[in-house]
Amino acid sequence: MTLNCIAVDDEPLALGLVCKFIEQTPFFNLVGRYPSAVEALKVIHSQKIDLIYLDIQMPDLNGIELARVIGKGPETPRIIFTTAFEQFGLEGYKVDALDYLLKPFNYEEFLRTATKAHSYYELINRPALPTVAVESEYADDQYLFLKVEYQLVRIALDDILYIEGLKDYIKVHLKNVEKGVLSLTSLKALEEKLSSRRFMRVHRSYIVALDKITSMTKNSLQIGKRNITVGNQYKDAFIQFVGKWL
């Protein structure tokens, strides 16, 4: 997979270096180089751009402002910020930047971000899991298949405590496993695959395994040491569930 890239930097030397690095990366295609965010914005709206190497401190429209303007969506290019100021890392996180390069950087550091971007696009462009085939093989609802990095991982439904939504990812929290499992999918997509007899959406960011609830009120529930608030949008369904036990 080849990614269409642009570089944006008001410093000619820095712009030239990033463009040189893009051109020597086999899976990158340099579409253009721009000394200002305003010029780059015209191209972003008229061509298919996958990745932007973007300086932050620029006149007229800085990199953070450009990131806010283009927003985030399935067709929106991802951003890797390049800056000499480390304090902008938090701002980059807020606009969901893919990565961050601190100037001056060498090709090895650049290639790390390039590889990350390439892996990201390969992952999101992989064909969807054939749900019908999986459901027919595991008709008793014992397992769930999730994309984890470069492979499909089988997870036993009995091991799931709760599932947490994290922007483009979900994190599956499992019993007897300290770290959760991250997968590039949405909470809504996963909710559609799970049986409503065993799992319930109780918050815009949480799906819980009903048989793992250790205590509950009409406004919250406890799973082990984790307390989860029930969102207003899901409260009626949850109260109905609670009512079966009162």
Side-chain angles (χ1 to χ4, degrees):
M1 171 182 284
T2 300
L3 302 181
N4 289 331
C5 307
I6 63 172
V8 187
D9 200 312
D10 64 329
E11 299 176 10
L13 290 177
L15 182 60
L17 181 65
V18 173
C19 290
K20 175 187 174 183
F21 286 168
I22 291 175
E23 289 176 323
Q24 69 185 67
T25 303
F27 47 83
F28 276 177
N29 173 45
L30 180 61
V31 174
R33 59 185 77 195
Y34 305 95
S36 79
V38 175
E39 291 184 41
L41 189 58
K42 300 175 184 177
V43 179
I44 293 167
H45 286 155
S46 63
Q47 297 187 44
K48 184 185 182 302
I49 305 299
D50 299 305
L51 189 64
I52 308 170
Y53 278 90
L54 179 62
D55 186 26
I56 292 181
Q57 284 201 315
M58 293 182 290
D60 299 327
L61 188 70
N62 67 40
I64 298 293
E65 291 167 340
L66 176 62
R68 292 191 185 117
V69 168
I70 64 177
K72 180 72 171 70
E75 302 300 321
T76 304
R78 298 306 306 267
I79 292 171
I80 295 175
F81 282 120
T82 61
T83 180
F85 301 95
E86 194 171 359
Q87 67 266 26
F88 286 117
L90 179 59
E91 291 300 317
Y93 173 79
K94 288 180 179 178
V95 294
D96 200 24
L98 187 64
D99 214 330
Y100 183 97
L101 276 169
L102 189 63
K103 298 177 182 177
F105 52 85
N106 56 31
Y107 183 64
E108 181 182 356
E109 294 169 304
F110 175 90
L111 187 58
R112 174 186 58 79
T113 66
T115 303
K116 181 177 181 179
H118 190 257
S119 298
Y120 167 82
Y121 275 102
E122 278 198 329
L123 186 60
I124 67 172
N125 286 297
R126 286 191 175 191
L129 180 66
T131 306
V132 174
V134 171
E135 287 181 349
S136 62
E137 186 177 357
Y138 300 101
D140 51 353
D141 289 335
Q142 291 185 24
Y143 304 103
L144 172 70
F145 282 84
L146 291 176
K147 293 178 183 178
V148 179
E149 294 184 350
Y150 306 107
Q151 57 189 337
L152 286 174
V153 175
R154 189 180 74 171
I155 295 174
L157 295 184
D158 282 341
D159 290 341
I160 298 175
L161 300 174
Y162 61 93
I163 304 162
E164 184 178 5
L166 303 167
K167 291 191 176 180
D168 296 333
Y169 291 82
I170 57 100
K171 186 174 185 180
V172 183
H173 296 264
L174 304 167
K175 65 181 182 181
N176 302 323
V177 177
E178 185 176 349
K179 293 183 178 180
V181 175
L182 280 174
S183 177
L184 185 62
T185 186
S186 69
L187 210 59
K188 180 175 175 57
L190 196 57
E191 182 184 10
E192 293 173 353
K193 295 180 181 180
L194 295 171
S195 168
S196 59
R197 293 179 289 105
R198 301 187 62 178
F199 296 90
M200 179 179 289
R201 182 85 172 263
V202 297
H203 190 277
R204 62 191 299 268
S205 299
Y206 291 100
I207 294 173
V208 300
L210 296 175
D211 64 342
K212 302 300 188 301
I213 298 174
T214 52
S215 64
M216 55 189 170
T217 69
K218 293 182 179 180
N219 299 309
S220 67
L221 60 93
Q222 194 86 16
I223 296 180
K225 295 181 180 179
R226 184 61 185 263
N227 183 271
I228 297 174
T229 300
V230 178
N232 291 332
Q233 182 180 347
Y234 308 95
K235 192 163 290 185
D236 289 346
F238 185 71
I239 288 174
Q240 186 176 356
F241 170 75
V242 173
K244 295 178 182 179
W245 309 98
L246 296 178

